[in-house]
Amino acid sequence: MFALSILCPLGLAGLALAVPSNRWRPWLLPLAAAANLVLTAGILRRAGTFRGAGWVALDPAGALVLGLLAVLFGVCSFYTVGYLGHRQERSNRVFCACLLAFLSLANLVAWSRHLALLWVALEATTLAAAPLIYFNRNRRSIEATWKYLLVCSVGIALALLGSFFLAYACLHGGLAPSLHLGDLLAHAPRLSKPWLHGAFVLLLVGYGTKMGLAPLHTWKPDAYGEAPGVVGALLAGGMTSLAFLAVFRAFQVCAAAGEAAYARGMLLALGLFSMAAAGVFVVRQRDIKRLLAYSSVEHMGVLALGLGIGGAATAGAFLHLVNNALAKGLLFLCAGNIHRAYGAKTTDEVAGAARRLPLSGWLFLLGLLAATGSPPFGPFQSLFAIGRAALEAGRPWVAGSFGFFLLVVFTGMGATVLAVVQGPPSPAARSTAYRDGLLTGAPLLVFFGLVLLLGLWLPPPLADLLRQAAELVEGAG
Amino acid sequence: MEALLDLLLVAIVLLNFFVLGTSRLRAVIRAVGAQGVILGVLPLLAHGAAGPRALLVVLPPVLLKGIVIPAMLMRALRTAQIKREVEPFLGFAPSLVLGALGMAAALALSQQLPLLPGQRSGLVVPASLATVLVGFVLLTTRLKAITQVLGYLVLENGIFLFGLLLMEAMPFLLEIAALLDLFVAIFVMGIILNHISREFSDIDTQHLSALRE
């Protein structure tokens, strides 16, 4: 099962390089996504039997991310076919191959039970995503790709140093050094404390860079701003989830070593700082894709905060991981359509999207409500759970600033999104032939349906998975 | 052996300062390459191992860091016809001061981190952290994209140096994987570098400033 989940997308990536037709090649994506979805569903159904002791095995947190990615990629793959249909002037050979390679590597990250394997796989997803950001091949996309590569490579390099520190913490604690998560968790209390602390800081900074926690988020607005919308959806919903999983692994080791309090302090600080930084930059943000990037910075802050608060907030953070991916998927695909229809993405030129593109326009507005935590959508549930857990944990200041930053982001994002959606279509906008079609419209509805569903009803299997994932650090019961 | 090991560690630190202080780009590339070669050879001295297995550990990094990557960068330098000076955003003297501060910080930080009694040299951790910090200084204070790549390489060298403490204990699979990643990262960066120079006719990151708040 494991091998299939890695090799199937990878094989199709190879095939994508070989297919000569620019028109038919993108259909490999839904094919791979469907196969991956079926396979993942089978794996998750029998998740309990896949917990081995080897380098790869699936624990509840990994299973959650694996399932999440399968859904995200599944919906995005159909959209991509539609999107690339509008971009026939450009070869999509590398683009399709890299998307499929990204899926394969992302699955590997979810399966990794060894921190070195996790590191290699995560670094490889960074590299596989670079050509995706560079798809438009203009000056701005070069700049974005360069910043992304450099900042993320440096981050991931620090994470490697952190992994080394962790191995040395074993050695210094009198253990055989190992980066196997099972070994680390089993012997965690004997790890050398100073080295463990150093390791956690480096891992948090390193993988936090890839998550896009402020002040390590500098690559994010540029990369999300210049990449095609669907790539933004996959990065903001998928890659950040993988990076969060890596941070969670580091936290797991700390928690098992009895150093959870040390780690929590840092997660809280970074989380609140990210939300505050996002708040500063969303206000008067005219570029819709950059706006979404800052919203992603905010949501990553929420995830760190949830882990930092602990207790019920941990399950809340995992639920928010799912909600964030779905809401970001919806928003980025809408933004992609709007960008395509107007040939522009700033409020200077884009207005009246609700009239010109009824589906994308309205869903963009509803997606905004969802992403900022308004009921009845999914993120409301997870944000509410985290806020309530903060109060119950006796941290009124944390809960208060959490609420305040949410409000600031809501206002800031609301102003920009309303300017885009409302009013008459602006005369300054160029007229393009783009209208919402089946392939670029239906995926939006699917994301919208899912994000609404999670606000109204949490499917029991998902609830189980969330509870089990949280128990990995909170102890049973 | 131990004296030689310490000597080489000192050489690595001196190369850090050379990289920070010199204005000639070719010299910087050579210095970073030399640092890579020294790093590659260190495991032999640290563990006194010899034979085919040791060669397997030593050869890939030496070839990659000493020959392949410097050659790639030199080629980029030629084809993009980059001016052969470094053009710092921050002057050379302040960079050197920053480097010295970094060294002091690394020494102070490594005091906090206890070493196993059996480790051969107490200099490995401070030298490694100092090299990482110098990499950061290069990354943040130099204008040209190619110098940023060099900064990234120095940073990687620092991390690689830390791996020396683990070389006996960890499977060298880890090392190979890390090298492979480094190679791919540099390769991808090289491609982008090429595109930057084609698009902007040189590789000064000052051109890369359309995107900002």
Side-chain angles (χ1 to χ4, degrees):
Chain A
M1 290 297 235
F2 158 71
L4 266 181
S5 119
I6 308 299
L7 290 179
C8 173
L10 204 59
L12 286 168
L15 193 60
L17 287 174
V19 169
S21 159
N22 214 38
R23 184 164 292 280
W24 291 111
R25 191 185 301 116
W27 283 101
L28 286 173
L29 298 169
L31 181 69
N36 183 56
L37 209 55
V38 171
L39 194 65
T40 306
I43 290 169
L44 292 185
R45 187 182 275 273
R46 306 167 38 190
T49 57
F50 284 90
R51 281 167 212 166
W55 281 43
V56 290
L58 214 53
D59 69 358
L64 186 73
V65 172
L66 190 73
L68 176 61
L69 262 145
V71 172
L72 184 72
F73 194 89
V75 180
C76 286
S77 67
F78 285 94
Y79 179 91
T80 312
V81 175
Y83 170 73
L84 291 175
H86 291 286
R87 302 298 304 269
Q88 283 301 330
E89 82 281 4
R90 176 152 290 154
S91 167
N92 55 37
R93 185 185 298 265
V94 175
F95 190 78
C96 290
C98 283
L99 273 176
L100 290 165
F102 178 80
L103 177 63
S104 162
L105 292 164
N107 285 348
L108 184 58
V109 171
W111 279 93
S112 291
R113 195 77 186 140
H114 192 285
L115 294 188
L117 181 65
L118 177 77
W119 181 83
V120 171
L122 207 53
E123 163 72 348
T125 59
T126 309
L127 298 174
L132 301 178
I133 298 172
Y134 188 41
F135 182 64
N136 284 317
R137 291 179 177 267
N138 53 35
R139 290 190 164 205
R140 295 167 62 90
S141 66
I142 290 183
E143 180 181 344
T145 313
W146 181 253
K147 273 190 197 165
Y148 159 80
L149 262 182
L150 209 63
V151 176
C152 285
S153 299
V154 169
I156 207 93
L158 291 180
L160 178 66
L161 187 59
S163 307
F164 282 180
F165 268 43
L166 207 52
Y168 197 76
C170 289
L171 206 59
H172 196 264
L175 302 160
S178 163
L179 286 174
H180 192 288
L181 199 60
D183 293 344
L184 285 170
L185 293 177
H187 304 297
R190 287 172 62 198
L191 293 174
S192 162
K193 290 288 181 300
W195 287 101
L196 179 63
H197 288 181
F200 183 76
V201 173
L202 287 168
L203 289 171
L204 179 62
V205 168
Y207 291 133
T209 306
K210 210 158 144 57
M211 253 176 95
L213 287 168
L216 314 160
H217 68 287
T218 47
W219 60 273
K220 216 172 202 182
D222 298 342
Y224 291 6
E226 300 311 314
V230 65
V231 174
L234 284 171
L235 294 182
M239 202 169 80
T240 53
S241 303
L242 300 173
F244 175 74
L245 185 64
V247 170
F248 180 74
R249 297 296 186 216
F251 181 70
Q252 258 184 296
V253 176
C254 265
E259 293 293 309
Y262 175 82
R264 288 216 155 108
M266 250 174 295
L267 284 165
L268 278 179
L270 265 187
L272 282 176
F273 187 74
S274 294
M275 293 185 73
V280 170
F281 286 107
V282 288
V283 175
R284 294 176 178 238
Q285 179 60 252
R286 301 200 316 272
D287 183 317
I288 54 175
K289 284 185 175 171
R290 292 176 81 86
L291 181 81
L292 298 185
Y294 286 114
S295 162
S296 174
V297 172
E298 180 222 354
H299 284 293
M300 292 305 115
V302 170
L303 292 180
L305 201 67
L307 212 52
I309 292 166
T314 309
F318 275 112
L319 179 58
H320 197 67
L321 189 75
V322 178
N323 285 327
N324 168 61
L326 297 174
K328 276 284 142 26
L330 173 60
L331 281 172
F332 267 106
L333 297 191
C334 290
N337 286 347
I338 292 171
H339 189 179
R340 184 116 296 271
Y342 284 80
K345 59 191 174 79
T346 62
T347 47
D348 300 338
E349 295 167 80
V350 181
R355 279 195 216 165
R356 193 154 158 188
L357 288 176
L359 183 70
S360 299
W362 279 110
L363 285 180
F364 195 49
L365 185 60
L366 291 169
L368 157 87
L369 292 175
T372 48
S374 318
F377 300 103
F380 170 72
Q381 301 285 357
S382 44
L383 290 169
F384 187 73
I386 292 170
R388 196 174 61 182
L391 277 179
E392 281 169 0
R395 293 175 182 275
W397 282 105
V398 172
S401 12
F402 176 70
F404 175 70
F405 293 140
L406 284 180
L407 200 65
V408 172
V409 171
F410 177 76
T411 330
M413 281 186 74
T416 304
V417 171
L418 282 176
V420 166
V421 174
Q422 284 182 330
S426 54
R430 275 170 279 168
S431 58
T432 56
Y434 178 82
R435 293 289 175 271
D436 286 328
L438 177 67
L439 282 168
T440 52
L444 273 54
L445 284 170
V446 176
F447 273 136
F448 177 72
L450 288 172
V451 89
L452 182 63
L453 175 77
L454 283 186
L456 301 174
W457 176 67
L458 196 59
L462 179 60
D464 279 347
L465 206 54
L466 293 171
R467 188 177 42 75
Q468 289 168 7
E471 275 171 10
L472 289 176
V473 290
E474 299 298 334
Chain B
M1 276 301 217
E2 267 164 66
L4 187 58
L5 179 63
D6 280 350
L7 202 67
L8 287 181
L9 289 173
V10 171
I12 286 175
V13 173
L14 287 178
L15 280 172
N16 284 342
F17 283 106
F18 178 76
V19 166
L20 283 176
T22 193
S23 67
R24 283 165 31 247
L25 207 43
R26 285 168 162 279
V28 176
I29 296 177
R30 287 210 188 89
V32 174
Q35 205 176 38
V37 172
I38 298 176
L39 275 171
V41 187
L42 278 179
L44 283 185
L45 292 170
H47 308 302
R53 188 158 174 272
L55 227 57
L56 216 63
V57 176
V58 168
L59 269 185
V62 168
L63 286 179
L64 186 61
K65 288 168 178 255
I67 296 170
V68 178
I69 291 178
M72 267 172 65
L73 292 176
M74 288 289 189
R75 215 186 115 237
L77 208 59
R78 267 199 310 279
T79 53
Q81 296 184 325
I82 305 160
K83 268 182 285 160
R84 275 150 178 67
E85 266 128 52
V86 171
E87 294 183 63
F89 173 64
L90 188 77
F92 293 111
S95 309
L96 282 169
V97 172
L98 266 183
L101 287 177
M103 187 72 220
L107 279 168
L109 210 65
S110 49
Q111 291 296 310
Q112 308 292 316
L113 298 167
L115 276 182
L116 279 181
Q119 301 284 351
R120 302 235 179 164
S121 173
L123 274 182
V124 172
V125 178
S128 150
L129 296 181
T131 310
V132 169
L133 289 173
V134 167
F136 259 118
V137 173
L138 284 178
L139 270 165
T140 49
T141 63
R142 300 296 191 262
L143 290 180
K144 282 188 171 131
I146 197 165
T147 346
Q148 295 182 336
V149 174
L150 286 164
Y152 174 69
L153 282 171
V154 171
L155 182 101
E156 280 275 351
N157 280 348
I159 293 168
F160 194 83
L161 184 52
F162 188 88
L164 205 61
L165 291 179
L166 299 165
M167 208 66 92
E168 264 171 350
M170 295 299 282
F172 66 103
L173 187 69
L174 199 88
E175 185 208 352
I176 301 296
L179 279 175
L180 197 73
D181 249 22
L182 176 67
F183 178 69
V184 177
I186 296 292
F187 186 71
V188 175
M189 282 183 193
I191 294 174
I192 300 278
L193 212 60
N194 242 328
H195 283 282
I196 293 176
S197 68
R198 207 180 307 151
E199 191 82 18
F200 298 97
S201 75
D202 72 53
I203 47 176
D204 187 334
T205 46
Q206 263 181 319
H207 295 299
L208 301 182
S209 55
L211 306 174
R212 58 174 53 171
E213 292 304 332

